[in-house]
Amino acid sequence: GDYLGALLGLGIKRDRVGDLHIHPEFCHCLVEEEIADYVNIHLRQVHRVQVLTDIVPLTGLQAAAPVLEEQNLSVASLRLDGIASDVYRVSRSKIVDPIRAGRCRVNWRAEEDPSAMLKEGDVVSFQGLGRFKVLSVEGVTKKGRVRVKIGKFI
């Protein structure tokens, strides 16, 4: 958040900034070529830390590996609202509102249907709540519930 805030604080619009690959000692920010020199000259502070910038070609990009916190869930079905309510620990009735309001994306596409079925490999993101991935569907329990392994991005 600090890196993105520093870039937006320079007056740059969000659509001109791409991915941020954050590492322990540095951050690679993908920006449009037209504003690269501007960012290189003006970005001198992130949060309260002084920074040095440099323009690096795409071949020098070091992508940050996502860190997933795995959860094993037992859900009644693979419905979006059912799985999301268990992942974020809120009731199904409360998770339906952000879905219908268009604040949910499944595989980077807006999803407004709470009864949409998820499958293995789907990436779900909720504005303000975070992102998770359905890692695997591991079968059905004796009581007919579905075992699902979820990876929550941290």
Side-chain angles (χ1 to χ4, degrees), residues 21-63:
H21 295 273
I22 300 169
H23 299 274
E25 297 295 321
F26 61 92
C27 174
H28 282 171
C29 305
L30 297 174
V31 297
E32 288 188 359
E33 195 171 343
E34 301 89 47
I35 64 169
D37 287 329
Y38 178 81
V39 171
N40 191 28
I41 293 169
H42 290 93
L43 185 63
R44 293 290 166 243
Q45 184 174 350
V46 174
H47 194 58
R48 294 188 180 119
V49 178
Q50 300 296 318
V51 296
L52 296 174
T53 59
D54 194 14
I55 298 175
V56 179
L58 276 178
T59 56
L61 174 69
Q62 295 179 17

mmCIF file of all heavy atoms in Angstrom, residues 21-63:
data_model
loop_
_atom_site.group_PDB
_atom_site.id
_atom_site.type_symbol
_atom_site.label_atom_id
_atom_site.label_comp_id
_atom_site.label_asym_id
_atom_site.label_seq_id
_atom_site.Cartn_x
_atom_site.Cartn_y
_atom_site.Cartn_z
ATOM 1 N N HIS A 21 5.795 -5.549 -7.675
ATOM 2 C CA HIS A 21 6.435 -6.775 -7.185
ATOM 3 C C HIS A 21 7.314 -6.391 -6.002
ATOM 4 O O HIS A 21 8.405 -5.862 -6.173
ATOM 5 C CB HIS A 21 7.260 -7.432 -8.298
ATOM 6 C CG HIS A 21 6.417 -7.916 -9.431
ATOM 7 N ND1 HIS A 21 5.842 -9.160 -9.430
ATOM 8 C CD2 HIS A 21 6.011 -7.311 -10.576
ATOM 9 C CE1 HIS A 21 5.144 -9.308 -10.538
ATOM 10 N NE2 HIS A 21 5.227 -8.205 -11.250
ATOM 11 N N ILE A 22 6.818 -6.667 -4.802
ATOM 12 C CA ILE A 22 7.465 -6.210 -3.580
ATOM 13 C C ILE A 22 8.351 -7.325 -3.023
ATOM 14 O O ILE A 22 7.915 -8.457 -2.823
ATOM 15 C CB ILE A 22 6.409 -5.776 -2.551
ATOM 16 C CG1 ILE A 22 5.582 -4.648 -3.148
ATOM 17 C CG2 ILE A 22 7.063 -5.357 -1.250
ATOM 18 C CD1 ILE A 22 4.363 -4.284 -2.384
ATOM 19 N N HIS A 23 9.600 -6.980 -2.794
ATOM 20 C CA HIS A 23 10.605 -7.880 -2.225
ATOM 21 C C HIS A 23 11.064 -7.274 -0.897
ATOM 22 O O HIS A 23 10.796 -6.112 -0.615
ATOM 23 C CB HIS A 23 11.793 -8.023 -3.191
ATOM 24 C CG HIS A 23 11.393 -8.603 -4.515
ATOM 25 N ND1 HIS A 23 11.320 -9.951 -4.734
ATOM 26 C CD2 HIS A 23 11.032 -8.013 -5.685
ATOM 27 C CE1 HIS A 23 10.933 -10.174 -5.988
ATOM 28 N NE2 HIS A 23 10.759 -9.011 -6.583
ATOM 29 N N PRO A 24 11.775 -8.023 -0.069
ATOM 30 C CA PRO A 24 12.208 -7.476 1.231
ATOM 31 C C PRO A 24 13.074 -6.218 1.121
ATOM 32 O O PRO A 24 12.974 -5.327 1.954
ATOM 33 C CB PRO A 24 12.998 -8.628 1.855
ATOM 34 C CG PRO A 24 12.479 -9.856 1.206
ATOM 35 C CD PRO A 24 12.095 -9.456 -0.188
ATOM 36 N N GLU A 25 13.904 -6.128 0.113
ATOM 37 C CA GLU A 25 14.838 -5.003 0.011
ATOM 38 C C GLU A 25 14.481 -3.976 -1.059
ATOM 39 O O GLU A 25 15.047 -2.889 -1.088
ATOM 40 C CB GLU A 25 16.256 -5.531 -0.264
ATOM 41 C CG GLU A 25 16.803 -6.401 0.839
ATOM 42 C CD GLU A 25 16.994 -5.642 2.137
ATOM 43 O OE1 GLU A 25 17.413 -4.476 2.097
ATOM 44 O OE2 GLU A 25 16.689 -6.229 3.205
ATOM 45 N N PHE A 26 13.568 -4.304 -1.978
ATOM 46 C CA PHE A 26 13.237 -3.403 -3.072
ATOM 47 C C PHE A 26 11.860 -3.729 -3.625
ATOM 48 O O PHE A 26 11.222 -4.699 -3.212
ATOM 49 C CB PHE A 26 14.289 -3.485 -4.191
ATOM 50 C CG PHE A 26 14.407 -4.849 -4.806
ATOM 51 C CD1 PHE A 26 13.660 -5.191 -5.917
ATOM 52 C CD2 PHE A 26 15.265 -5.793 -4.270
ATOM 53 C CE1 PHE A 26 13.757 -6.450 -6.480
ATOM 54 C CE2 PHE A 26 15.384 -7.054 -4.827
ATOM 55 C CZ PHE A 26 14.613 -7.386 -5.948
ATOM 56 N N CYS A 27 11.423 -2.907 -4.576
ATOM 57 C CA CYS A 27 10.128 -3.101 -5.220
ATOM 58 C C CYS A 27 10.269 -2.788 -6.700
ATOM 59 O O CYS A 27 10.863 -1.770 -7.065
ATOM 60 C CB CYS A 27 9.084 -2.195 -4.577
ATOM 61 S SG CYS A 27 7.486 -2.233 -5.407
ATOM 62 N N HIS A 28 9.729 -3.655 -7.545
ATOM 63 C CA HIS A 28 9.668 -3.376 -8.980
ATOM 64 C C HIS A 28 8.260 -2.904 -9.292
ATOM 65 O O HIS A 28 7.284 -3.608 -9.014
ATOM 66 C CB HIS A 28 9.989 -4.618 -9.799
ATOM 67 C CG HIS A 28 11.443 -4.915 -9.864
ATOM 68 N ND1 HIS A 28 11.939 -6.076 -10.382
ATOM 69 C CD2 HIS A 28 12.523 -4.193 -9.507
ATOM 70 C CE1 HIS A 28 13.253 -6.059 -10.334
ATOM 71 N NE2 HIS A 28 13.625 -4.926 -9.781
ATOM 72 N N CYS A 29 8.157 -1.699 -9.852
ATOM 73 C CA CYS A 29 6.870 -1.115 -10.218
ATOM 74 C C CYS A 29 6.781 -1.052 -11.735
ATOM 75 O O CYS A 29 7.645 -0.451 -12.368
ATOM 76 C CB CYS A 29 6.731 0.295 -9.659
ATOM 77 S SG CYS A 29 6.958 0.408 -7.894
ATOM 78 N N LEU A 30 5.759 -1.638 -12.303
ATOM 79 C CA LEU A 30 5.562 -1.569 -13.743
ATOM 80 C C LEU A 30 4.720 -0.332 -14.048
ATOM 81 O O LEU A 30 3.595 -0.214 -13.570
ATOM 82 C CB LEU A 30 4.866 -2.828 -14.257
ATOM 83 C CG LEU A 30 5.643 -4.121 -14.059
ATOM 84 C CD1 LEU A 30 4.816 -5.324 -14.473
ATOM 85 C CD2 LEU A 30 6.923 -4.085 -14.849
ATOM 86 N N VAL A 31 5.284 0.586 -14.818
ATOM 87 C CA VAL A 31 4.575 1.803 -15.203
ATOM 88 C C VAL A 31 4.686 1.977 -16.713
ATOM 89 O O VAL A 31 5.551 1.376 -17.362
ATOM 90 C CB VAL A 31 5.133 3.066 -14.487
ATOM 91 C CG1 VAL A 31 4.938 2.965 -12.988
ATOM 92 C CG2 VAL A 31 6.583 3.293 -14.824
ATOM 93 N N GLU A 32 3.819 2.812 -17.282
ATOM 94 C CA GLU A 32 3.889 3.078 -18.709
ATOM 95 C C GLU A 32 5.191 3.789 -19.037
ATOM 96 O O GLU A 32 5.708 4.573 -18.238
ATOM 97 C CB GLU A 32 2.687 3.908 -19.151
ATOM 98 C CG GLU A 32 1.408 3.113 -19.152
ATOM 99 C CD GLU A 32 0.247 3.872 -19.777
ATOM 100 O OE1 GLU A 32 0.439 5.031 -20.190
ATOM 101 O OE2 GLU A 32 -0.837 3.285 -19.841
ATOM 102 N N GLU A 33 5.690 3.526 -20.226
ATOM 103 C CA GLU A 33 6.996 4.045 -20.630
ATOM 104 C C GLU A 33 7.044 5.570 -20.624
ATOM 105 O O GLU A 33 8.069 6.159 -20.288
ATOM 106 C CB GLU A 33 7.335 3.518 -22.022
ATOM 107 C CG GLU A 33 8.781 3.691 -22.400
ATOM 108 C CD GLU A 33 9.129 2.969 -23.688
ATOM 109 O OE1 GLU A 33 8.356 2.087 -24.108
ATOM 110 O OE2 GLU A 33 10.180 3.294 -24.257
ATOM 111 N N GLU A 34 5.922 6.218 -20.934
ATOM 112 C CA GLU A 34 5.890 7.678 -20.994
ATOM 113 C C GLU A 34 6.143 8.338 -19.635
ATOM 114 O O GLU A 34 6.635 9.455 -19.567
ATOM 115 C CB GLU A 34 4.541 8.193 -21.529
ATOM 116 C CG GLU A 34 4.164 7.710 -22.904
ATOM 117 C CD GLU A 34 3.397 6.405 -22.873
ATOM 118 O OE1 GLU A 34 2.455 6.261 -22.079
ATOM 119 O OE2 GLU A 34 3.774 5.509 -23.650
ATOM 120 N N ILE A 35 5.774 7.656 -18.560
ATOM 121 C CA ILE A 35 5.925 8.270 -17.235
ATOM 122 C C ILE A 35 7.103 7.710 -16.453
ATOM 123 O O ILE A 35 7.332 8.106 -15.313
ATOM 124 C CB ILE A 35 4.626 8.146 -16.409
ATOM 125 C CG1 ILE A 35 4.291 6.673 -16.124
ATOM 126 C CG2 ILE A 35 3.477 8.860 -17.088
ATOM 127 C CD1 ILE A 35 3.196 6.495 -15.118
ATOM 128 N N ALA A 36 7.864 6.799 -17.039
ATOM 129 C CA ALA A 36 8.980 6.165 -16.328
ATOM 130 C C ALA A 36 10.009 7.204 -15.883
ATOM 131 O O ALA A 36 10.485 7.169 -14.744
ATOM 132 C CB ALA A 36 9.630 5.099 -17.193
ATOM 133 N N ASP A 37 10.374 8.146 -16.772
ATOM 134 C CA ASP A 37 11.350 9.177 -16.402
ATOM 135 C C ASP A 37 10.813 10.070 -15.285
ATOM 136 O O ASP A 37 11.544 10.447 -14.377
ATOM 137 C CB ASP A 37 11.723 10.028 -17.616
ATOM 138 C CG ASP A 37 12.612 9.268 -18.590
ATOM 139 O OD1 ASP A 37 13.390 8.409 -18.121
ATOM 140 O OD2 ASP A 37 12.512 9.521 -19.801
ATOM 141 N N TYR A 38 9.512 10.415 -15.350
ATOM 142 C CA TYR A 38 8.891 11.251 -14.323
ATOM 143 C C TYR A 38 8.980 10.569 -12.957
ATOM 144 O O TYR A 38 9.358 11.185 -11.956
ATOM 145 C CB TYR A 38 7.432 11.536 -14.700
ATOM 146 C CG TYR A 38 6.691 12.350 -13.672
ATOM 147 C CD1 TYR A 38 6.833 13.728 -13.619
ATOM 148 C CD2 TYR A 38 5.854 11.738 -12.739
ATOM 149 C CE1 TYR A 38 6.154 14.477 -12.673
ATOM 150 C CE2 TYR A 38 5.180 12.481 -11.795
ATOM 151 C CZ TYR A 38 5.337 13.848 -11.762
ATOM 152 O OH TYR A 38 4.680 14.589 -10.832
ATOM 153 N N VAL A 39 8.642 9.275 -12.913
ATOM 154 C CA VAL A 39 8.700 8.525 -11.652
ATOM 155 C C VAL A 39 10.143 8.443 -11.165
ATOM 156 O O VAL A 39 10.419 8.632 -9.974
ATOM 157 C CB VAL A 39 8.092 7.112 -11.825
ATOM 158 C CG1 VAL A 39 8.335 6.258 -10.598
ATOM 159 C CG2 VAL A 39 6.610 7.201 -12.121
ATOM 160 N N ASN A 40 11.067 8.202 -12.075
ATOM 161 C CA ASN A 40 12.476 8.076 -11.713
ATOM 162 C C ASN A 40 13.008 9.369 -11.093
ATOM 163 O O ASN A 40 13.810 9.332 -10.157
ATOM 164 C CB ASN A 40 13.296 7.689 -12.940
ATOM 165 C CG ASN A 40 14.709 7.275 -12.593
ATOM 166 O OD1 ASN A 40 14.972 6.792 -11.500
ATOM 167 N ND2 ASN A 40 15.620 7.466 -13.520
ATOM 168 N N ILE A 41 12.560 10.505 -11.577
ATOM 169 C CA ILE A 41 13.040 11.796 -11.075
ATOM 170 C C ILE A 41 12.358 12.183 -9.761
ATOM 171 O O ILE A 41 13.010 12.654 -8.832
ATOM 172 C CB ILE A 41 12.815 12.898 -12.131
ATOM 173 C CG1 ILE A 41 13.719 12.639 -13.343
ATOM 174 C CG2 ILE A 41 13.083 14.276 -11.552
ATOM 175 C CD1 ILE A 41 13.382 13.504 -14.542
ATOM 176 N N HIS A 42 11.050 11.974 -9.658
ATOM 177 C CA HIS A 42 10.279 12.530 -8.548
ATOM 178 C C HIS A 42 10.029 11.597 -7.368
ATOM 179 O O HIS A 42 9.753 12.070 -6.265
ATOM 180 C CB HIS A 42 8.940 13.050 -9.067
ATOM 181 C CG HIS A 42 9.098 14.275 -9.912
ATOM 182 N ND1 HIS A 42 9.233 14.210 -11.282
ATOM 183 C CD2 HIS A 42 9.175 15.579 -9.579
ATOM 184 C CE1 HIS A 42 9.361 15.422 -11.766
ATOM 185 N NE2 HIS A 42 9.343 16.283 -10.754
ATOM 186 N N LEU A 43 10.100 10.297 -7.560
ATOM 187 C CA LEU A 43 9.828 9.381 -6.442
ATOM 188 C C LEU A 43 11.071 9.279 -5.565
ATOM 189 O O LEU A 43 12.057 8.654 -5.929
ATOM 190 C CB LEU A 43 9.423 7.994 -6.950
ATOM 191 C CG LEU A 43 9.001 7.002 -5.862
ATOM 192 C CD1 LEU A 43 7.752 7.490 -5.139
ATOM 193 C CD2 LEU A 43 8.754 5.632 -6.462
ATOM 194 N N ARG A 44 11.014 9.903 -4.408
ATOM 195 C CA ARG A 44 12.157 9.919 -3.489
ATOM 196 C C ARG A 44 11.805 9.426 -2.095
ATOM 197 O O ARG A 44 12.674 9.283 -1.252
ATOM 198 C CB ARG A 44 12.749 11.340 -3.397
ATOM 199 C CG ARG A 44 13.397 11.806 -4.668
ATOM 200 C CD ARG A 44 14.684 10.998 -4.885
ATOM 201 N NE ARG A 44 15.181 11.172 -6.234
ATOM 202 C CZ ARG A 44 15.298 10.206 -7.122
ATOM 203 N NH1 ARG A 44 14.952 8.981 -6.827
ATOM 204 N NH2 ARG A 44 15.758 10.440 -8.328
ATOM 205 N N GLN A 45 10.501 9.206 -1.830
ATOM 206 C CA GLN A 45 10.104 8.782 -0.493
ATOM 207 C C GLN A 45 8.905 7.839 -0.585
ATOM 208 O O GLN A 45 7.951 8.120 -1.303
ATOM 209 C CB GLN A 45 9.755 10.001 0.361
ATOM 210 C CG GLN A 45 9.426 9.678 1.791
ATOM 211 C CD GLN A 45 9.219 10.941 2.631
ATOM 212 O OE1 GLN A 45 9.499 12.044 2.192
ATOM 213 N NE2 GLN A 45 8.716 10.760 3.821
ATOM 214 N N VAL A 46 8.981 6.743 0.137
ATOM 215 C CA VAL A 46 7.860 5.822 0.279
ATOM 216 C C VAL A 46 7.607 5.692 1.768
ATOM 217 O O VAL A 46 8.483 5.275 2.521
ATOM 218 C CB VAL A 46 8.172 4.445 -0.349
ATOM 219 C CG1 VAL A 46 7.065 3.453 -0.056
ATOM 220 C CG2 VAL A 46 8.392 4.588 -1.845
ATOM 221 N N HIS A 47 6.397 6.061 2.175
ATOM 222 C CA HIS A 47 6.031 6.176 3.589
ATOM 223 C C HIS A 47 6.997 7.180 4.236
ATOM 224 O O HIS A 47 6.994 8.335 3.859
ATOM 225 C CB HIS A 47 6.038 4.806 4.267
ATOM 226 C CG HIS A 47 5.367 4.809 5.606
ATOM 227 N ND1 HIS A 47 4.062 5.199 5.779
ATOM 228 C CD2 HIS A 47 5.816 4.475 6.824
ATOM 229 C CE1 HIS A 47 3.740 5.111 7.062
ATOM 230 N NE2 HIS A 47 4.795 4.665 7.724
ATOM 231 N N ARG A 48 7.828 6.767 5.139
ATOM 232 C CA ARG A 48 8.792 7.689 5.755
ATOM 233 C C ARG A 48 10.227 7.329 5.390
ATOM 234 O O ARG A 48 11.170 7.796 6.017
ATOM 235 C CB ARG A 48 8.634 7.659 7.274
ATOM 236 C CG ARG A 48 7.307 8.209 7.735
ATOM 237 C CD ARG A 48 7.273 8.328 9.242
ATOM 238 N NE ARG A 48 6.008 8.852 9.663
ATOM 239 C CZ ARG A 48 5.164 8.217 10.455
ATOM 240 N NH1 ARG A 48 5.474 7.040 10.934
ATOM 241 N NH2 ARG A 48 4.023 8.770 10.800
ATOM 242 N N VAL A 49 10.388 6.489 4.377
ATOM 243 C CA VAL A 49 11.697 5.980 4.003
ATOM 244 C C VAL A 49 12.150 6.634 2.696
ATOM 245 O O VAL A 49 11.389 6.686 1.728
ATOM 246 C CB VAL A 49 11.648 4.443 3.833
ATOM 247 C CG1 VAL A 49 12.982 3.896 3.407
ATOM 248 C CG2 VAL A 49 11.193 3.789 5.126
ATOM 249 N N GLN A 50 13.375 7.120 2.680
ATOM 250 C CA GLN A 50 13.952 7.675 1.464
ATOM 251 C C GLN A 50 14.304 6.522 0.517
ATOM 252 O O GLN A 50 14.814 5.491 0.959
ATOM 253 C CB GLN A 50 15.224 8.475 1.787
ATOM 254 C CG GLN A 50 14.985 9.653 2.723
ATOM 255 C CD GLN A 50 14.067 10.707 2.112
ATOM 256 O OE1 GLN A 50 14.193 11.040 0.957
ATOM 257 N NE2 GLN A 50 13.146 11.221 2.911
ATOM 258 N N VAL A 51 14.004 6.686 -0.777
ATOM 259 C CA VAL A 51 14.269 5.630 -1.750
ATOM 260 C C VAL A 51 15.050 6.170 -2.939
ATOM 261 O O VAL A 51 15.027 7.366 -3.225
ATOM 262 C CB VAL A 51 12.964 4.972 -2.259
ATOM 263 C CG1 VAL A 51 12.238 4.261 -1.143
ATOM 264 C CG2 VAL A 51 12.069 5.984 -2.929
ATOM 265 N N LEU A 52 15.748 5.280 -3.590
ATOM 266 C CA LEU A 52 16.424 5.580 -4.853
ATOM 267 C C LEU A 52 15.712 4.794 -5.942
ATOM 268 O O LEU A 52 15.337 3.635 -5.731
ATOM 269 C CB LEU A 52 17.893 5.172 -4.791
ATOM 270 C CG LEU A 52 18.755 5.910 -3.771
ATOM 271 C CD1 LEU A 52 20.141 5.289 -3.715
ATOM 272 C CD2 LEU A 52 18.848 7.378 -4.127
ATOM 273 N N THR A 53 15.542 5.396 -7.113
ATOM 274 C CA THR A 53 14.850 4.718 -8.200
ATOM 275 C C THR A 53 15.770 4.534 -9.386
ATOM 276 O O THR A 53 16.766 5.245 -9.541
ATOM 277 C CB THR A 53 13.612 5.522 -8.636
ATOM 278 O OG1 THR A 53 14.022 6.821 -9.047
ATOM 279 C CG2 THR A 53 12.603 5.631 -7.513
ATOM 280 N N ASP A 54 15.430 3.588 -10.211
ATOM 281 C CA ASP A 54 16.180 3.324 -11.426
ATOM 282 C C ASP A 54 15.228 2.685 -12.429
ATOM 283 O O ASP A 54 14.292 1.979 -12.048
ATOM 284 C CB ASP A 54 17.346 2.371 -11.131
ATOM 285 C CG ASP A 54 18.357 2.313 -12.252
ATOM 286 O OD1 ASP A 54 18.306 3.191 -13.144
ATOM 287 O OD2 ASP A 54 19.177 1.393 -12.244
ATOM 288 N N ILE A 55 15.455 2.946 -13.710
ATOM 289 C CA ILE A 55 14.649 2.334 -14.756
ATOM 290 C C ILE A 55 15.333 1.032 -15.165
ATOM 291 O O ILE A 55 16.495 1.024 -15.560
ATOM 292 C CB ILE A 55 14.493 3.282 -15.958
ATOM 293 C CG1 ILE A 55 13.752 4.552 -15.517
ATOM 294 C CG2 ILE A 55 13.756 2.578 -17.087
ATOM 295 C CD1 ILE A 55 13.644 5.600 -16.585
ATOM 296 N N VAL A 56 14.585 -0.063 -15.058
ATOM 297 C CA VAL A 56 15.103 -1.393 -15.345
ATOM 298 C C VAL A 56 14.292 -1.966 -16.505
ATOM 299 O O VAL A 56 13.064 -1.857 -16.506
ATOM 300 C CB VAL A 56 14.971 -2.303 -14.097
ATOM 301 C CG1 VAL A 56 15.472 -3.692 -14.367
ATOM 302 C CG2 VAL A 56 15.689 -1.686 -12.918
ATOM 303 N N PRO A 57 14.921 -2.590 -17.490
ATOM 304 C CA PRO A 57 14.152 -3.207 -18.583
ATOM 305 C C PRO A 57 13.338 -4.394 -18.073
ATOM 306 O O PRO A 57 13.624 -4.952 -17.010
ATOM 307 C CB PRO A 57 15.224 -3.657 -19.581
ATOM 308 C CG PRO A 57 16.467 -3.771 -18.772
ATOM 309 C CD PRO A 57 16.356 -2.762 -17.669
ATOM 310 N N LEU A 58 12.334 -4.785 -18.840
ATOM 311 C CA LEU A 58 11.477 -5.898 -18.430
ATOM 312 C C LEU A 58 12.256 -7.191 -18.230
ATOM 313 O O LEU A 58 11.855 -8.029 -17.426
ATOM 314 C CB LEU A 58 10.374 -6.127 -19.466
ATOM 315 C CG LEU A 58 9.145 -5.255 -19.320
ATOM 316 C CD1 LEU A 58 8.156 -5.536 -20.437
ATOM 317 C CD2 LEU A 58 8.490 -5.442 -17.975
ATOM 318 N N THR A 59 13.353 -7.348 -18.917
ATOM 319 C CA THR A 59 14.155 -8.570 -18.744
ATOM 320 C C THR A 59 14.774 -8.640 -17.351
ATOM 321 O O THR A 59 15.122 -9.721 -16.884
ATOM 322 C CB THR A 59 15.263 -8.644 -19.809
ATOM 323 O OG1 THR A 59 16.054 -7.452 -19.732
ATOM 324 C CG2 THR A 59 14.676 -8.783 -21.203
ATOM 325 N N GLY A 60 14.901 -7.501 -16.673
ATOM 326 C CA GLY A 60 15.468 -7.471 -15.336
ATOM 327 C C GLY A 60 14.432 -7.578 -14.238
ATOM 328 O O GLY A 60 14.749 -7.502 -13.053
ATOM 329 N N LEU A 61 13.163 -7.760 -14.610
ATOM 330 C CA LEU A 61 12.080 -7.845 -13.631
ATOM 331 C C LEU A 61 12.215 -9.121 -12.808
ATOM 332 O O LEU A 61 12.405 -10.210 -13.350
ATOM 333 C CB LEU A 61 10.724 -7.845 -14.336
ATOM 334 C CG LEU A 61 9.502 -8.067 -13.454
ATOM 335 C CD1 LEU A 61 9.290 -6.870 -12.538
ATOM 336 C CD2 LEU A 61 8.279 -8.310 -14.298
ATOM 337 N N GLN A 62 12.114 -8.968 -11.501
ATOM 338 C CA GLN A 62 12.103 -10.110 -10.591
ATOM 339 C C GLN A 62 10.703 -10.196 -9.995
ATOM 340 O O GLN A 62 10.348 -9.417 -9.114
ATOM 341 C CB GLN A 62 13.140 -9.944 -9.488
ATOM 342 C CG GLN A 62 14.560 -9.945 -9.977
ATOM 343 C CD GLN A 62 15.545 -9.751 -8.844
ATOM 344 O OE1 GLN A 62 15.223 -9.920 -7.685
ATOM 345 N NE2 GLN A 62 16.771 -9.391 -9.200
ATOM 346 N N ALA A 63 9.919 -11.107 -10.517
ATOM 347 C CA ALA A 63 8.541 -11.244 -10.059
ATOM 348 C C ALA A 63 8.510 -11.775 -8.637
ATOM 349 O O ALA A 63 9.282 -12.667 -8.279
ATOM 350 C CB ALA A 63 7.770 -12.178 -10.979
#
